Amino acid sequence: EKSGFAPGKDISICLDVAANELKSPKTIDYYSELIKNYPIKSIEDPFSEDDWVSWKNLTKIANIQIVGDDLFVTNLNRLKKGVDEKSANAILIKLNQIGTVSETLSVINFAHSKNFKTIVSHRSGDSEDTFIADFAVATNSSQIKTGSLARSERVSKYNRLLKIEEELGNSSKMAKI
């Protein structure tokens, strides 16, 4: 606020909880309290990948983006179950997680047909190859996850997005969450 930014408008928080790595699981009440007190717009992996009930209940009460990474693992069958159970409203897409580009595109197309946001993600230890930036734009994904601007393999993806925006000109648009 002192800098002139309005919390929740100019700046927000997106959490990558990675619940499978927590020593003790967090509760719906815990996340509800965080959402109430901080400008949180997105939570990724708030619960373990087989706790479908908690995922469903948080998605139902939270008016924010709930992202399944470990829950869906870019797998069409798991995504279909999640859609049926309303266990999230966004999916993290890791191109090499499911197997092929065709399988990944099937997951993205199904997600979009069910009004799920798709977030294309790099993988740990990724290279400076910028393909996922092009892939995120080409698949009309709402977001890309490449990490902070700390290392060259991450910066290269952001630079490619800037180049794509420059090439598209006025026809480019920014997604909002």
Side-chain angles (χ1 to χ4, degrees), residues 148-171:
S148 66
L149 297 168
R151 299 191 308 248
S152 63
E153 74 273 9
R154 297 171 176 188
V155 173
S156 63
K157 277 94 171 159
Y158 290 110
N159 285 339
R160 179 63 186 136
L161 288 171
L162 291 171
K163 198 74 167 148
I164 292 169
E165 180 185 39
E166 184 180 289
E167 291 169 10
L168 291 175
N170 290 336
S171 66

Side-chain angles (χ1 to χ4, degrees), residues 23-38:
K23 289 183 180 172
S24 60
K26 302 300 180 193
T27 64
I28 292 170
D29 290 339
Y30 172 81
Y31 291 118
S32 295
E33 195 65 23
L34 285 178
I35 293 165
K36 185 173 83 174
N37 291 317
Y38 300 98

Side-chain angles (χ1 to χ4, degrees), residues 128-149:
E128 290 184 12
D129 185 284
T130 60
F131 175 75
I132 69 158
D134 291 272
F135 190 73
V137 172
T139 59
N140 201 27
S141 290
S142 56
Q143 297 147 67
I144 187 170
K145 180 180 177 182
T146 65
S148 66
L149 297 168

